[in-house]
Amino acid sequence: KYVAKRQLRTRHGSVKVYLAVQRGFGREIELRIIDGGVEERSEEYLRFCREVKLLAQLDHPSLVKVLDFGRAGTRIWYTTEFRNALSMQALLERVGSPLTTDEVLEVAHSIGSALDHIHTKGHLHRDINATSIFYDVDNKRPYIAEFALLKDCSKYKITRQGDASALTRILTPELVMATPYTAKTDLFMFGALLYQLATNVNPLLQAAEGMGSDIEELFDFKGPDKINPSIPKYLNNAIMKLLAPQPEKRFASAQEFLQALDEGGVDYQTEASSIEAERAAVLAQFDSSADVALPEEQEELNWDNLGAPESDAAPTATMKQVTAPPEPEETKEEKAEEVAAPPQSQANIPTRQ
């Protein structure tokens, strides 16, 4: 049914994403295989089926389309459309500077609208960050490329040992306070993403390194305009409201956030800069399927013997004579649904039992 060409990346430790060709149609798709030993009729498998069916019903230009799903042995899989794209994390690392205000607003509107669509349909994303949001080079549009299927946020707990960078992928006030993950938690993660795009600084890394403070101090971020003065005040205020430690102080919905941006008005003008010119040159050359050495004969996926590639590191997007930084790999702690915080001598971190 599908012929694998190469592995694109790894997600959440056990999710491998392949560029494949769908037989019959001859079209390129992305094939995601979840190699987690999921048994048929198990609670985990039934939840996967429910979620992937719901995702397949979503229809938004800033959401990757889910096409098909199934099960082979203890592996479950689903397919999505393929887009020539790179993650926002990779884009930041390639360019080495924050996005322009225009670009941040484009992400804010595109992803905010997609989140509103997801929430309106009764779904939560649970994994909004710079590695799950991609930029479609051909269509010049940011979009949500990854979903956190089978990621049960209620089972995470914080411990006193480990890597702060791993914690940033799930760190929210709700996690620290052991309260339920809601649509407003998605909005908090969305605010952290916009902050990072506007400043090239991940605010959650700061929070992770400060574990042990009370919640107000832990998530007391300075405004992004203090790092990047070119950010207009209304955008700065909107991002900070998304990042409010108390959920009730955040926007009520993604739609309300978008309305606040529209009401802020366009009170700035940007001109072409050397940074924008450099980014345009980078994106003009990017082709996620270029410069890849494929075997002379493509092999059909063998569901029974499909294993990790020679290198289990997340593969990189390719450009002419440029090697993109690898996407961050998930830690063993996260794979075991236990994410660790850095040691603190005076830490008093609540844990979910």
Side-chain angles (χ1 to χ4, degrees):
K1 193 171 184 179
Y2 301 104
V3 178
K5 296 178 68 175
R6 63 184 175 97
Q7 185 178 340
L8 295 173
R9 55 190 176 273
T10 299
R11 294 283 299 172
H12 300 296
S14 62
V15 182
K16 294 180 173 61
V17 185
Y18 293 86
L19 174 63
V21 175
Q22 184 177 11
R23 285 185 163 181
F25 290 101
R27 64 176 174 181
E28 289 184 326
I29 52 92
E30 287 190 5
L31 172 65
R32 289 162 167 79
I33 300 174
I34 304 176
D35 190 8
V38 180
E39 297 296 333
E40 187 175 10
R41 310 306 299 175
S42 66
E43 179 182 350
E44 198 174 28
Y45 176 66
L46 293 176
R47 181 157 60 90
F48 166 81
C49 292
R50 287 195 301 269
E51 292 192 5
V52 78
K53 286 179 180 179
L54 178 58
L55 290 178
Q57 296 172 10
L58 300 177
D59 185 15
H60 191 280
S62 294
L63 285 173
V64 69
K65 290 185 180 296
V66 175
L67 305 174
D68 192 11
F69 78 100
R71 182 174 177 274
T74 59
R75 295 180 177 91
I76 51 181
W77 55 270
Y78 68 104
T79 62
T80 68
E81 61 180 323
F82 170 73
R83 300 188 189 185
N84 181 35
L86 74 167
S87 72
M88 301 307 297
Q89 182 69 41
L91 180 58
L92 285 174
E93 292 174 353
R94 283 171 182 246
V95 176
S97 64
L99 301 190
T100 65
T101 297
D102 284 329
E103 291 166 335
V104 175
L105 285 171
E106 182 181 4
V107 175
H109 282 96
S110 296
I111 305 306
S113 177
L115 269 180
D116 182 62
H117 181 65
I118 292 172
H119 294 163
T120 299
K121 296 294 184 180
H123 196 63
L124 299 175
H125 187 276
R126 301 191 296 267
D127 199 29
I128 294 292
N129 57 64
T131 66
S132 64
I133 308 303
F134 277 52
Y135 184 77
D136 185 334
V137 176
D138 295 334
N139 296 309
K140 311 299 182 187
R141 187 184 187 96
Y143 69 103
I144 299 176
E146 303 290 355
F147 297 92
L149 295 180
L150 298 181
K151 182 177 179 181
D152 186 352
C153 297
S154 67
K155 292 184 179 180
Y156 283 102
K157 64 180 180 178
I158 302 174
T159 63
R160 295 172 183 240
Q161 303 293 327
D163 179 13
S165 63
L167 186 58
T168 63
R169 290 190 283 274
I170 63 164
L171 183 58
T172 63
E174 286 85 333
L175 176 68
V176 175
M177 297 301 292
T179 56
Y181 192 108
T182 68
K184 286 195 174 184
T185 320
D186 269 350
L187 294 182
F188 178 87
M189 298 300 289
F190 182 39
L193 168 69
L194 295 178
Y195 190 112
Q196 182 179 358
L197 297 181
T199 64
N200 208 11
V201 174
N202 185 346
L204 298 185
L205 184 58
Q206 165 197 323
E209 292 172 343
M211 293 300 295
S213 306
D214 63 44
I215 192 168
E216 291 291 343
E217 294 180 359
L218 188 63
F219 297 102
D220 183 20
F221 308 119
K222 60 182 176 182
D225 61 350
K226 299 297 189 296
I227 303 174
N228 182 358
S230 69
I231 298 173
K233 195 66 178 177
Y234 76 91
L235 177 57
N236 177 83
N237 293 344
I239 292 174
M240 292 304 290
K241 187 169 182 177
L242 288 171
L243 288 171
Q246 302 87 356
E248 64 273 13
K249 292 185 178 180
R250 299 172 202 157
F251 290 102
S253 64
Q255 182 60 39
E256 185 179 86
F257 164 75
L258 294 173
Q259 290 174 353
L261 286 188
D262 291 340
E263 291 170 1
V266 182
D267 57 1
Y268 66 93
Q269 291 185 353
T270 58
E271 297 180 358
S273 65
S274 59
I275 292 177
E276 290 174 293
E278 179 183 356
R279 183 175 298 111
V282 167
L283 295 179
Q285 296 181 63
F286 181 79
D287 183 348
S288 61
S289 61
D291 299 332
V292 177
L294 298 177
E296 293 183 2
E297 295 183 1
Q298 298 174 357
E299 296 182 358
E300 186 172 0
L301 286 177
N302 185 330
W303 298 107
D304 295 326
N305 299 308
L306 185 64
E310 293 182 4
S311 171
D312 198 38
T316 60
T318 58
M319 288 178 54
K320 294 180 179 178
Q321 300 180 348
V322 176
T323 301
E327 297 285 356
E329 287 196 56
E330 311 300 336
T331 63
K332 293 181 180 178
E333 287 83 4
E334 183 175 5
K335 185 176 180 181
E337 293 189 322
E338 175 173 315
V339 178
Q344 288 284 334
S345 59
Q346 299 179 346
N348 182 19
I349 311 301
T351 61
R352 180 175 292 280
Q353 302 297 327

